[in-house]
Amino acid sequence: MIINSDPLVFNPAAQRKIGPYTVELIPLCKFRLDGGAGFGIIPKMLWEKSYPHCDDLNRIQLTAYALLVRGNGITLVADAGPGDKLSEKQRQIFAVDQPDRVLPRALAARGVSPEDVTHFVFTHLHFDHAGGATEVGPDGILRPVFPKAKHLVQASQLGWANNPSDKDKTSYDPQNWEAVRDAGLMREIEVDYSPAPGIDLRVVHGHTSGMQMVLVHDGDDGLLYSVDLFPTAAHLRPHYVPAFDNHPLASLEEKRVYLEELEGRGWHLAFGHDPFTPPSKIIRDDRGNWALG
């Protein structure tokens, strides 16, 4: 399984077959984030050894992804990138580079229409993950991109997004979910949840309350789309925690739990924002550190 570099061109090699499902990470946009925000208290002289992709403004190169899962009567999309509603100031700050209406067009390149999507997963409601779930229609009114999909969100995350802290309020924009709610498509769920056999939503709380990762598995094989628990392969070190995380000690423990499970089962880890590292198995290296298998 490789990372496809062009969202509008379908490459079968970017797919992985797990049980009855075909799984693909679709890159929606390139963007840049301050390195200090990405690695928290870790000094640059340390993190840049494992993630040297930094510009002269100290911004690291990242990608926003959507996860597409098809099979067993299910067409599930998780995450939607920032979408087309960002202000010019936001685009400049984060150096956002993406085609217009990239998610619907990327799905069309894979033979999927917005009406085909049965489930959309809000992993969490930060703008770089939820923005593309709504769009401005020809009438100038916001509408859901997926008009027939059940939109799954953790109730704790929705509650937090509607009343965020001063620390993270700029990460949320109600335009990204209110049209979904008003259309009656929002489904609030609690704790871990399985929308279909072999597809599990695993909930963690370190990055933000009620972030749900997507695990596709058939027992022998599995892939965890880890969202912002592991934004890049450099974050395999448990103490490499982004400054954005509301509860860094919880993130540290959650990372250890999932690294041990992934190593023990031999399943693949898909990084939430890494444009350079495809989904990989996890091992312990000769010094006992977590590494790519």
Side-chain angles (χ1 to χ4, degrees):
M1 187 175 184
I2 65 169
I3 292 179
N4 190 354
S5 60
D6 187 342
L8 304 183
V9 177
F10 172 57
N11 185 346
Q15 293 186 331
R16 183 178 185 87
K17 187 72 172 177
I18 301 176
Y21 301 109
T22 300
V23 182
E24 181 182 358
L25 274 179
I26 303 175
L28 299 179
C29 84
K30 299 176 183 177
F31 71 102
R32 291 185 177 272
L33 180 72
D34 180 79
F39 290 97
I41 65 171
I42 306 303
K44 181 180 179 180
M45 64 180 294
L46 294 180
W47 63 252
E48 69 178 348
K49 293 179 181 179
S50 52
Y51 204 80
H53 316 288
C54 189
D55 66 13
D56 56 3
L57 297 178
N58 199 45
R59 299 179 301 180
I60 55 175
Q61 181 66 61
L62 299 173
T63 292
Y65 289 104
L67 181 74
L68 175 62
V69 182
R70 289 185 282 178
N72 201 26
I74 296 292
T75 299
L76 180 146
V77 175
D79 280 346
D84 297 324
K85 303 187 299 294
L86 295 179
S87 68
E88 185 56 35
K89 181 179 180 180
Q90 287 175 308
R91 291 179 179 276
Q92 291 178 0
I93 290 173
F94 297 104
V96 175
D97 179 12
Q98 69 174 3
D100 293 337
R101 300 195 75 243
V102 60
L103 181 52
R105 293 170 63 194
L107 293 174
R110 292 152 177 82
V112 178
S113 74
E115 291 76 16
D116 293 334
V117 176
T118 60
H119 297 75
F120 178 80
V121 177
F122 285 111
T123 62
H124 58 306
L125 294 167
H126 287 171
F127 72 87
D128 58 317
H129 294 264
T134 65
E135 63 182 0
V136 179
D139 56 3
I141 297 175
L142 279 171
R143 63 184 184 183
V145 170
F146 304 113
K148 297 182 179 181
K150 296 178 181 178
H151 289 63
L152 306 176
V153 65
Q154 287 289 315
S156 60
Q157 172 60 189
L158 183 59
W160 186 272
N162 284 323
N163 295 280
S165 70
D166 287 343
K167 179 180 184 293
D168 60 354
K169 64 183 179 181
T170 59
S171 296
Y172 294 106
D173 183 351
Q175 292 185 103
N176 296 333
W177 66 84
E178 286 184 343
V180 173
R181 178 203 63 197
D182 294 345
L185 298 174
M186 190 79 85
R187 301 291 185 271
E188 295 182 44
I189 54 180
E190 303 280 354
V191 299
D192 293 354
Y193 177 78
S194 296
I199 302 176
D200 297 339
L201 305 184
R202 297 281 193 90
V203 185
V204 289
H205 300 284
H207 181 61
T208 182
S209 178
M211 184 179 78
Q212 46 191 6
M213 305 180 294
V214 183
L215 174 65
V216 184
H217 63 95
D218 68 352
D220 294 330
D221 195 9
L223 181 144
L224 177 70
Y225 174 52
S226 65
V227 203
D228 286 333
L229 187 62
F230 297 97
T232 75
H235 291 87
L236 284 175
R237 290 179 169 87
H239 60 291
Y240 278 41
V241 176
F244 284 115
D245 286 19
N246 283 342
H247 305 288
L249 293 181
S251 293
L252 193 152
E253 181 59 25
E254 289 163 351
K255 289 170 75 172
R256 286 178 172 152
V257 167
Y258 278 96
L259 287 169
E260 289 174 0
E261 180 178 4
L262 291 166
E263 181 200 26
R265 293 183 178 273
W267 289 351
H268 285 72
L269 174 62
F271 302 97
H273 288 294
D274 193 328
F276 308 103
T277 310
S280 305
K281 290 188 175 183
I282 303 303
I283 61 171
R284 292 271 195 176
D285 65 18
D286 293 339
R287 293 181 295 176
N289 297 319
W290 297 106
L292 302 175

